[in-house]
Amino acid sequence: MEYHVGMKNIIVSPSILAANFGRLGDEVRAVESAGAGLLHLDIMDGHFVPNISFGPKVSSFALKNCNLPADAHLMVSEPLKWAPEFAKIGCEFISFHDEAVPRRELSRAIAEIAALGVKVGVAFNPDNDMSSLSGIVDDIDLILIMTVFPGFAGQSFLESGLNNLHKASAIRDAGTRKPLIAVDGGVNLDTAGRVISAGADILVMGSALYASGDYAETIRRVKALGACRPGGKTS
Ligand code: DX5
Ligand code: ZN
């Protein structure tokens, strides 16, 4: 695929939480052939968030049924306990929440997960003040900005998350490693343009993608919003 100056290559990352689990294999193959770039695996432990989703076994099934790389979004109280399971099944990224780890242990947790041979993401809730990002921005591969409070698919996009996205973009741009920025929660065709303009590279989409009749058309329309993004780079 060719990109033009001013066009940014937006990655659409389907959250399988919103997929039909009765035919999960078909669901991951369908989003792959529709142009998705990264599977998003929402892992919930019923403790860090008030919901339980699925674990390594279902995640592994999803991965084996397509060729997409995956991000394991760990919404769990003990990310260091569970990260090896998701590295073992072949996740490319493992993301854990800033709130799940005491501030003084954040750098060590990042190093421990990186040592598993995966890319490391750190997620920030909408009420997070983002003050810890500057200290780690050059040690991570992904900044995961939550635009809903984690726990459930199908929630409405929160403006406080968009404010965090603006802060994260500025902190990322001031650093050297320049990790990717993903936005997660309530992303749909109405909100996607704003998050792309604010610096997002990866748009996680659950309900809005899986409820749309036509995955390819929805992904095409989201990616088209990356065209002529202010400050967009040639990809
Ligand atoms: C929320 C999850 C999200 C969510 C996305 O706890 O982290 O990934 O499933 O779903 P939508 O796009 O429906 O908000
Ligand atoms: Zn998620």
Side-chain angles (χ1 to χ4, degrees):
M1 192 182 287
E2 286 183 14
Y3 295 99
H4 306 288
V5 173
M7 184 168 188
K8 182 175 176 176
N9 184 14
I10 295 299
I11 296 168
V12 175
S13 183
S15 163
I16 65 166
L17 193 59
N20 180 341
F21 276 61
R23 45 186 183 83
L24 186 55
D26 291 339
E27 289 280 63
V28 294
R29 283 188 292 273
V31 290
E32 178 178 17
S33 58
L38 180 71
L39 271 192
H40 184 85
L41 306 170
D42 283 309
I43 313 302
M44 305 178 185
D45 66 353
H47 186 259
F48 183 74
V49 289
N51 196 7
I52 295 174
S53 57
F54 54 86
K57 191 166 178 180
V58 169
S59 301
S60 176
F61 177 82
L63 280 172
K64 283 183 183 146
N65 275 274
C66 67
N67 296 305
L68 289 171
D71 177 25
H73 174 196
L74 302 185
M75 289 163 276
V76 303
S77 297
E78 296 183 273
L80 296 176
K81 174 180 171 185
W82 294 108
E85 297 290 325
F86 292 92
K88 214 182 295 170
I89 64 167
C91 291
E92 182 163 329
F93 292 86
I94 294 181
S95 299
F96 68 99
H97 274 255
D98 179 50
E99 297 87 353
V101 173
R103 179 73 59 95
R104 66 183 181 286
E105 292 170 24
L106 194 52
S107 292
R108 188 181 58 78
I110 291 165
E112 206 170 302
I113 293 176
L116 299 170
V118 297
K119 295 174 179 158
V120 183
V122 176
F124 297 89
N125 276 348
D127 62 353
N128 192 305
D129 68 5
M130 304 301 293
S131 59
S132 61
L133 180 60
S134 302
I136 57 166
V137 69
D138 287 329
D139 300 327
I140 60 178
D141 303 291
L142 180 71
I143 303 166
L144 183 56
I145 299 294
M146 297 305 301
T147 38
V148 298
F149 284 95
F152 300 92
Q155 302 181 77
S156 299
F157 184 88
L158 294 174
E159 295 297 324
S160 50
L162 189 63
N163 291 339
N164 282 349
L165 173 59
H166 284 290
K167 289 183 194 172
S169 289
I171 294 168
R172 185 257 303 263
D173 291 349
T176 55
R177 185 155 167 168
K178 308 212 186 298
L180 293 166
I181 299 180
V183 173
D184 184 10
V187 175
N188 55 38
L189 286 167
D190 293 329
T191 54
R194 283 192 295 154
V195 304
I196 292 169
S197 298
D201 307 290
I202 300 171
L203 273 58
V204 177
M205 290 182 81
S207 317
L209 178 59
Y210 277 106
S212 74
D214 187 337
Y215 302 162
E217 175 62 8
T218 303
I219 291 173
R220 188 195 65 72
R221 288 174 68 185
V222 170
K223 287 184 167 184
L225 294 168
C228 299
R229 165 188 171 262
K233 297 174 189 131
T234 311
S235 299

